[in-house]
Amino acid sequence: MWTIDTSFADAEPAVYWTSQPRSVPDQPPLDGPVEADLLIIGGGFTGLWAAVEAKRRNPDRDVVLLEMERIAFGASGRNGGFIDPSLTHGLSNGLARYPEAEVRTLLRLGDESYDQIMATIREFAIDCDFHRNGTVWAATEPYQLHGLTDAVAHYNAFGLEAEVLHQEELRELVHSPFYLGGLRTPNEGGLVDPARLAWGLLRAAIELGVRVHEQTQVVRLEDQGTRMVVHTDRGRVAARRVIHGTSAYPGVIPAIRRYVAPVYDYVLMTEPLTEEQHRSIGWQTRFGLSDGENQFVYHRMTSDRRILYGGWDAVYQKNGRVSPAFDTRDASHQFLARRFFRTFPQLEGLRFSHRWGGAIDTCSRFAVFFDTLHGGKVAYAAGYTGLGVGASRFGATTALDLVDGIDSEATRLSLVQKRPLPFPPEPLRGPTIQSVQWLMHRADQNEGRRSLPLRALDKLGLGFDS
């Protein structure tokens, strides 16, 4: 007999996106030693964009990319497929941390980078099911409706289109008794199949002449003065410059770990909706949808009428461990299933076909940060905090500027020049993150009113996002 708790019992513990046939052949492991002008560590979106853009800037540059697993294995293939132009994790977060003039610059640079993402998808005919129909945020509690008109005016003042959706207007878009109204930004975001985007960028990189080696793990960096030697489990690579982009995975730059806390996010994917089920919920336009406040869920429709439903939790494992052992979590998937059918009670009887989880490289300012090491021969980008699908191209091109010694508009930004405040070290890190999460949950239960400790963290520029 079907129940909410059995709706995910038979779901495959696998990522839906990467369960599809891969469109690009597997690339061989490194068979070193080799030499390169530029070595890229990590085959996620940051590494793939860095590889593509490095060859565009200089087709003669010899570029090698190393991936520990397979392309799209990590966050680049596990996310919800929301692709947003924001570089600051939203307008409000940007204004809380940077001068208004810089925020305006970041908005423009984000839009320009987003345009280049779309241009690359067209240029290389990347079949990644890209749609740009904006996003909707839905209120689920009456207090969340307060200030929506002011929020729209705030967006408009920065040239961003936004509109308030009253309950009946929102229910014309999505039929859910859970939603009381909301906010729509019709041009600010899109949806993509993230694995197919990653595989498409891999194909583009190979066509441009990048040498890609999968299943090759970097174990240490060695500075030899005029070049870096990168030691792997498959041999070594000597390179004049190195870009490091391993997201939530530890990598080989210990300094990054001060600023990044890997937290696990969990997702459910439904079986395809029937025509009748689809009509019962409306949702004819493919836009991204989220609801809640500090702790929120995100959901979207796929091309074959499945609903992806994820978020809410941000689970930090002891000592920041990242392991396949954490890829599923019954408590998180049970919560998501219960909230899903509260959102769409008319879909009772539907089952979930896939369930999975993955680590997000969150940092205290929620936006990508950068640094260089070894006299500028190594640069990294990290800390996207869940918005890396869109921001990773900017992260990659900025890391290229840094490692190439280019004085660009991006490298002069305080976002690039300053690091976020670090998280406390273990054994304090875990309890601190859990305490902040508890305070955020209490704020959501208290009509959004932030307690004194949360307000103090806000003033310090410290945060933790679900």
Side-chain angles (χ1 to χ4, degrees):
M1 184 179 72
W2 181 93
T3 67
I4 291 175
D5 287 345
T6 63
S7 64
F8 65 90
D10 296 326
E12 186 179 354
V15 183
Y16 169 76
W17 308 120
T18 52
S19 296
Q20 305 170 92
R22 174 167 153 158
S23 59
V24 184
D26 291 346
Q27 299 301 297
L30 179 69
D31 186 15
V34 300
E35 296 189 358
D37 297 321
L38 174 68
L39 173 66
I40 299 168
I41 301 172
F45 283 132
T46 296
L48 291 167
W49 279 116
V52 168
E53 297 301 332
K55 291 295 284 187
R56 276 176 159 165
R57 291 184 181 188
N58 181 358
D60 295 329
R61 177 156 40 183
D62 187 12
V63 179
V64 171
L65 184 151
L66 303 179
E67 164 56 36
M68 177 179 67
E69 294 281 351
R70 295 287 185 192
I71 299 298
F73 169 83
S76 295
R78 294 170 183 263
N79 62 82
F82 291 72
I83 180 166
D84 195 281
S86 176
L87 305 177
T88 60
H89 212 91
L91 178 60
S92 296
N93 186 60
L95 288 170
R97 300 175 190 279
Y98 308 106
E100 180 179 320
E102 178 156 325
V103 171
R104 292 185 182 276
T105 299
L106 286 164
L107 287 170
R108 175 174 53 79
L109 292 175
D111 285 338
E112 291 173 359
S113 184
Y114 201 88
D115 289 343
Q116 288 302 311
I117 291 173
M118 293 189 294
T120 301
I121 290 172
R122 290 191 298 268
E123 177 185 352
F124 290 95
I126 297 175
D127 178 18
C128 59
D129 196 31
F130 175 80
H131 294 267
R132 188 175 188 177
N133 293 317
T135 58
V136 170
W137 174 82
T140 56
E141 297 289 345
Y143 79 88
Q144 296 172 3
L145 297 171
H146 303 326
L148 288 182
T149 300
D150 291 341
V152 166
H154 198 50
Y155 272 90
N156 295 162
F158 283 83
L160 303 175
E161 187 177 352
E163 59 181 330
V164 173
L165 294 174
H166 299 292
Q167 187 174 44
E168 60 276 10
E169 294 170 321
L170 179 52
R171 289 186 180 177
E172 287 180 5
L173 298 174
V174 182
H175 306 332
S176 172
F178 197 29
Y179 296 152
L180 307 178
L183 184 71
R184 183 182 187 186
T185 51
N187 299 310
E188 283 308 298
L191 298 173
V192 71
D193 180 319
R196 283 159 55 184
L197 175 59
W199 295 330
L201 290 173
L202 170 61
R203 176 172 54 80
I206 294 170
E207 289 177 5
L208 290 168
V210 177
R211 290 182 284 161
V212 179
H213 298 287
E214 297 179 290
Q215 294 189 314
T216 302
Q217 183 167 3
V218 174
V219 293
R220 67 185 176 93
L221 299 178
E222 180 186 355
D223 189 342
Q224 291 192 348
T226 59
R227 65 180 189 171
M228 298 297 301
V229 174
V230 178
H231 298 268
T232 82
D233 60 349
R234 303 278 188 166
R236 62 181 180 84
V237 182
R240 295 176 58 246
R241 297 289 184 267
V242 175
I243 288 179
H244 186 282
T246 61
S247 184
Y249 292 83
V252 288
I253 299 179
I256 298 176
R257 301 172 204 173
R258 297 179 59 213
Y259 304 106
V260 167
V263 295
Y264 270 80
D265 182 59
Y266 292 94
V267 174
L268 291 170
M269 181 72 88
T270 73
E271 61 190 4
L273 273 62
T274 65
E275 290 281 358
E276 182 179 353
Q277 289 169 329
H278 194 198
R279 283 196 302 271
S280 75
I281 64 167
W283 207 351
Q284 298 300 313
T285 303
R286 300 270 298 283
F287 55 81
L289 179 60
S290 66
D291 63 66
E293 284 233 1
N294 291 307
Q295 291 182 287
F296 63 93
V297 296
Y298 52 84
H299 26 312
R300 48 83 51 99
M301 191 81 68
T302 65
S303 59
D304 58 351
R305 292 203 305 257
R306 298 172 186 263
I307 298 175
L308 178 144
Y309 197 85
W312 191 265
D313 275 337
V315 181
Y316 179 79
Q317 300 293 342
K318 186 176 180 180
N319 297 319
R321 289 181 61 208
V322 178
S323 166
F326 308 130
D327 284 356
T328 60
R329 185 171 184 264
D330 286 349
S332 295
H333 288 131
Q334 182 184 57
F335 173 86
L336 289 170
R338 289 184 174 275
R339 190 174 174 99
F340 178 91
F341 289 107
R342 185 181 177 191
T343 305
F344 299 118
Q346 63 269 51
L347 295 181
E348 181 177 321
L350 188 68
R351 293 184 180 273
F352 297 99
S353 63
H354 296 76
R355 61 173 177 143
W356 71 89
I360 295 172
D361 59 336
T362 193
C363 71
S364 63
R365 74 183 190 191
F366 311 151
V368 61
F369 63 93
F370 305 85
D371 204 357
T372 58
L373 304 92
H374 298 287
K377 293 190 291 293
V378 178
Y380 69 75
Y384 294 99
T385 318
L387 285 188
V389 180
S392 55
R393 184 189 174 279
F394 171 83
T397 57
T398 302
L400 273 172
D401 287 349
L402 291 169
V403 83
D404 286 342
I406 295 174
D407 177 21
S408 66
E409 184 177 28
T411 61
R412 292 191 292 271
L413 295 167
S414 61
L415 176 137
V416 176
Q417 295 180 355
K418 297 179 180 179
R419 259 57 65 203
L421 290 174
F423 290 113
E426 298 289 5
L428 297 176
R429 178 176 288 201
T432 299
I433 289 173
Q434 292 166 3
S435 297
V436 174
Q437 288 177 315
W438 181 82
L439 290 169
M440 290 165 56
H441 180 63
R442 285 293 301 272
D444 284 345
Q445 292 182 319
N446 193 28
E447 297 193 344
R449 288 188 283 270
R450 299 175 77 81
S451 63
L452 181 60
L454 280 181
R455 295 199 300 272
L457 290 173
D458 291 340
K459 288 184 179 180
L460 289 171
L462 282 166
F464 190 78
D465 197 34
S466 69

